[in-house]
């Protein structure tokens, strides 16, 4: 379907198309749980080298599209599970939906490679300028656009592969998009080395790009030794609950009652400074709960000296639903038989088709059995939750993908003199994707948020991965997935500011645009 032919010759041969598709698919091995991050750089270097082989913009567009399609289709194939297994959609239609999504996401890579090809020809750029300036910058800019256009879908963008390895030291400076740019720069260096090697005798011409690649790697290692943030106050004891409630029965009447009993018992099993449940651990609205359920939890928080973060849907008006977290503390009170939560966080960045219905797609959502499929967004900026002398900034499931929004939450405190969050908390229910690589991929995303902000990340999930991540992105403790359990840990809060928190994505955008400007100026001087 993607192989376009002209009367003279094919724009893209079948063997090359299949090889490009396979190279893109190999990227899934660079991410969790495989962690073979060098594969991403090698595959991208191969793609960049192919872009140099022809000035045909159409051919290079197809190369980028095939490569990115293979990357996305293999990386997020588990969406089929949510739509078919748990959503009840017909199998062929769920598979088609994944393919169409991958084709749409592939367009971003296609635009990057086609634009690089067109600018190279228009500006008369050298191989070095194309590989080191044009391609990494355009790849980064299209990934950034992918992160916000149509509410964004930045899952498995290049930088997440480097939450481990030497490049993670750049995360507190440039964020996940910056790591993607550096990965592209390394790929450009490797591709340039092959060009230099083939153009002249011996390996000496390849020494410069290979030396540059080595310096970039060593720079990441050196930067990782810098402590951008510092400990704040005393550590707190946390208990992170993992209910392991089967998704296929989560909303049945019998399972709802069983889940309410289970989480009630798990919360009361032992006190802690912070007890956190997964997203929608309580799967029904407060008015649908047994009498006194929330009041009894507030009473337990008072008597035990515990703070409780509870995932629950809320409704402020008929037909108005939010995916929320409410917090009880030892100072929670009850009045008139109703529990008064001292804290509330409403999910702001909603999941398309799962939590809100895009215009014109009601028919698509109606084919799935997803409860509460159209929700109300919370405010973009919300305060943290006080736990002793620490401040906890929550986010719910999918929101963990948007580092710039979390940085904005933290920056709001700095700008307005509000309490500064010292820990991050993600509550999730990834049971929608079964026993798939979605679970470790989401854990890796949380590692990136810890690296970007220099703060520990707490994760309370239904089926996994429930974990504690330190400010350096290292997993300190984790429950086995698909088990019922409680993760207990002592966690130190941190305060201070990483460069990424202060600049957000503006710094890497400036670098990418400066690279394009530099390429243009070099081409003018060359002429």
């Amino acid at each position: 379907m993607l192989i376009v032919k002209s009367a003279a010759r094919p724009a893209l041969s079948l063997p090359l198309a299949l090889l490009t598709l396979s190279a893109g698919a190999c990227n899934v091995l660079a991410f969790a749980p495989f962690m073979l991050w060098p594969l991403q750089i090698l595959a991208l270097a191969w793609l960049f080298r192919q872009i140099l082989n022809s000035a045909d913009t159409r051919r290079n567009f197809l190369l980028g599209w095939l490569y990115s399609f293979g990357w996305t289709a293999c990386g997020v194939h588990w969406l089929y599970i949510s739509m078919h297994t748990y959503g009840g959609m017909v199998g062929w239609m769920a598979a088609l939906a994944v393919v169409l999504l991958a084709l749409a996401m592939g367009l971003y890579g296609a635009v990057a490679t086609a634009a690089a090809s067109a600018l190279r020809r228009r500006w008369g750029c050298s191989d070095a300028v194309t590989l080191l300036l044009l391609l990494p910058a355009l790849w980064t800019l299209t990934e950034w656009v992918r992160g916000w256009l149509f509410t964004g879908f930045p899952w498995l963008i290049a930088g997440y592969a480097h939450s481990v390895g030497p490049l993670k030291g750049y995360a507190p400076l440039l964020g996940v998009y910056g790591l993607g740019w550096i990965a592209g720069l390394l790929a450009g260096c490797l591709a340039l080395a092959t060009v230099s090697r083939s153009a002249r005798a011996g390996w000496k011409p390849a020494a410069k790009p290979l030396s540059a690649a080595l310096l970039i790697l060593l720079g990441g290692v050196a930067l990782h030794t810098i402590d951008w943030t510092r400990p704040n106050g005393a550590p707190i004891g946390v208990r992170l609950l993992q209910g392991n409630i089967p998704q296929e029965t989560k909303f049945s009447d019998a399972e709802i009652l069983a889940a309410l009993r289970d989480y009630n018992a798990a919360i009361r099993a032992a006190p802690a400074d912070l007890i956190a449940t997964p997203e929608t651990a309580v799967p029904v609205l407060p008015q649908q709960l047994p009498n006194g359920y929330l009041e009894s939890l507030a009473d337990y928080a008072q008597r035990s000296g515990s703070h409780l973060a509870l995932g629950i849907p809320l409704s402020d008006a008929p037909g108005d639903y939010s995916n929320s977290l409410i917090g009880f503390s030892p100072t929670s009170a009850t009045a008139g038989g109703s529990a008064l939560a001292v804290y509330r966080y409403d999910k702001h960045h909603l999941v398309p088709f799962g939590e809100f219905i895009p215009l014109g797609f009601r028919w698509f959502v109606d084919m799935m059995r997803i409860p509460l499929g159209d929700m109300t967004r919370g405010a973009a900026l919300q305060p943290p939750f006080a736990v002793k002398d620490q401040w906890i900034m929550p986010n719910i499931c999918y929101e963990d993908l948007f580092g710039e929004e979390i940085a904005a939450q933290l920056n709001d405190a700095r700008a307005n003199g509000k309490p500064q969050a010292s820990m991050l908390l993600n509550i999730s229910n990834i049971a929608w994707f079964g026993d798939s690589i979605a679970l470790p991929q989401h854990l890796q995303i949380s590692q990136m948020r810890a690296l970007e902000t220099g703060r520990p990340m707490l994760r309370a999930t239904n089926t996994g991965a429930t974990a504690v991540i330190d400010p350096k992105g290292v997993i300190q403790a984790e429950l086995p997935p698909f088990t019922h359990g409680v993760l207990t840990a002592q966690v130190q809060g941190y305060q201070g500011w990483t460069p990424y928190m202060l600049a957000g994505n503006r710094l890497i955008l400036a670098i990418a645009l400066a690279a394009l400007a530099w390429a243009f100026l070099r081409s003018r001087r060359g002429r």
Side-chain angles (χ1 to χ4, degrees):
M1 181 174 63
L2 297 177
I3 301 172
V4 181
K5 295 186 177 182
S6 66
R9 59 183 177 83
L12 191 62
S13 67
L14 180 60
L16 181 57
L18 293 176
L19 191 56
T20 305
L21 187 65
S22 300
C26 282
N27 275 279
V28 72
L29 300 176
F31 298 87
F34 311 104
M35 304 293 193
L36 301 176
W37 58 267
L39 276 180
Q40 180 199 90
I41 296 170
L42 293 173
L44 201 56
W46 180 87
L47 176 66
F48 286 3
R49 186 68 173 85
Q50 301 311 307
I51 301 303
L52 288 183
N53 290 344
S54 172
D56 187 340
T57 300
R58 181 184 59 174
R59 168 192 179 274
N60 291 334
F61 177 91
L62 294 174
L63 279 174
W65 198 2
L66 281 168
Y67 182 87
S68 299
F69 168 78
W71 182 335
T72 305
C74 286
V76 301
H77 66 275
W78 35 261
L79 288 169
Y80 174 88
I81 299 173
S82 64
M83 290 185 286
H84 173 63
T85 305
Y86 300 124
M89 182 178 287
V90 177
W92 69 265
M93 186 167 286
L96 179 62
V98 174
V99 169
L100 291 176
L101 173 67
L103 287 171
M105 295 299 104
L107 288 173
Y108 294 104
V111 168
T113 53
S117 179
L119 292 177
R120 178 195 182 200
R121 185 176 64 251
R122 182 178 181 84
W123 293 349
C125 296
S126 67
D127 291 345
V129 169
T130 302
L131 291 171
L132 302 182
L133 296 179
L134 289 184
L135 279 165
L138 289 167
W139 196 268
T140 300
L141 290 171
T142 52
E143 282 203 325
W144 172 72
V145 172
R146 174 181 162 179
W148 58 263
L149 188 63
F150 305 122
T151 77
F153 186 69
W155 196 290
L156 234 61
I157 59 173
Y160 283 119
H162 304 286
S163 63
V164 297
L167 297 189
K168 67 180 181 180
Y170 292 101
L173 279 80
L174 301 176
V176 68
Y177 295 108
L179 266 66
W181 172 71
I182 293 170
L185 193 58
L186 285 172
C189 288
L190 295 183
L192 185 59
T194 66
V195 173
S196 302
R197 173 69 180 88
S198 61
R200 306 179 192 178
W203 282 98
K204 187 175 180 180
K208 285 186 178 180
L210 292 177
S211 298
L214 180 60
L215 287 175
I216 291 170
L217 293 171
L218 292 176
V221 174
L223 286 169
H224 191 59
T225 64
I226 299 176
D227 295 322
W228 298 100
T229 54
R230 61 190 183 277
N232 172 67
I236 61 172
V238 301
R239 297 179 65 239
L240 307 175
L241 311 188
Q242 182 171 287
N244 197 34
I245 308 298
Q247 192 62 37
E248 59 267 28
T249 59
K250 181 178 174 71
F251 294 99
S252 68
D253 291 341
E255 191 61 57
I256 288 173
L257 292 175
L260 293 176
R261 290 192 298 267
D262 180 78
Y263 277 114
N264 184 55
I267 289 168
R268 296 172 180 275
D273 295 323
L274 174 65
I275 304 171
T277 74
E279 175 188 19
T280 59
V282 175
V284 294
L285 299 170
Q287 52 267 39
Q288 298 171 309
L289 287 169
N291 289 335
Y293 186 85
L294 291 182
E295 289 83 353
S296 69
L297 294 179
D299 180 66
Y300 175 76
Q302 286 180 311
R303 290 186 292 102
S304 65
S306 302
H307 297 75
L308 173 61
L310 183 69
I312 183 174
L314 299 177
S315 177
D316 297 319
D320 183 347
Y321 305 103
S322 62
N323 189 351
S324 302
L325 175 150
I326 57 175
F328 299 108
S329 76
T331 59
S332 296
T334 58
S338 299
L340 301 179
V342 298
Y343 180 79
R344 172 175 172 175
Y345 175 87
D346 296 327
K347 188 174 184 179
H348 166 69
H349 206 122
L350 304 179
V351 181
F353 305 106
E355 292 174 326
F356 80 93
I357 302 172
L359 184 64
F361 281 90
R362 167 65 67 177
W363 61 272
F364 182 79
V365 174
D366 286 345
M367 290 189 294
M368 295 184 287
R369 298 187 300 271
I370 297 179
L372 303 178
D374 207 356
M375 294 187 169
T376 302
R377 299 178 189 275
L381 300 176
Q382 301 179 57
F385 178 37
V387 177
K388 290 193 167 179
D389 57 355
Q390 304 296 339
W391 291 87
I392 315 298
M393 188 70 248
N395 63 82
I396 299 178
C397 198
Y398 184 69
E399 290 184 308
D400 210 21
L401 273 76
F402 301 92
E404 67 278 15
E405 295 180 4
I406 292 175
Q409 295 266 30
L410 298 170
N411 255 335
D412 183 56
R414 181 182 67 88
N416 297 296
K418 299 176 182 178
Q420 180 186 122
S422 54
M423 296 184 190
L424 305 177
L425 168 66
N426 176 266
I427 64 170
S428 294
N429 176 27
I430 310 295
W432 286 106
F433 308 119
D435 187 4
S436 71
I437 57 175
L439 277 69
Q441 285 175 356
H442 197 208
L443 176 61
Q444 190 173 38
I445 288 167
S446 289
Q447 290 177 268
M448 184 59 64
R449 299 291 87 85
L451 284 164
E452 288 174 344
T453 62
R455 280 157 173 75
M457 169 70 82
L458 314 176
R459 286 178 51 87
T461 69
N462 180 18
T463 56
T466 297
V468 174
I469 304 168
D470 75 7
K472 294 288 188 178
V474 177
I475 299 170
Q476 295 291 295
E478 180 183 359
L479 286 179
F482 299 99
T483 60
H484 180 282
V486 178
L487 182 60
T488 303
Q490 290 286 318
V491 184
Q492 174 66 62
Y494 279 72
Q495 63 177 259
W497 309 97
T498 65
Y500 178 75
M501 288 172 58
L502 298 174
N505 292 326
R506 292 187 294 274
L507 180 56
I508 186 55
L509 291 177
I511 290 173
L513 293 174
L516 295 179
W518 188 10
F520 172 70
L521 293 175
R522 282 183 63 90
S523 68
R524 291 195 65 183
R525 285 201 299 268
R527 287 198 295 269

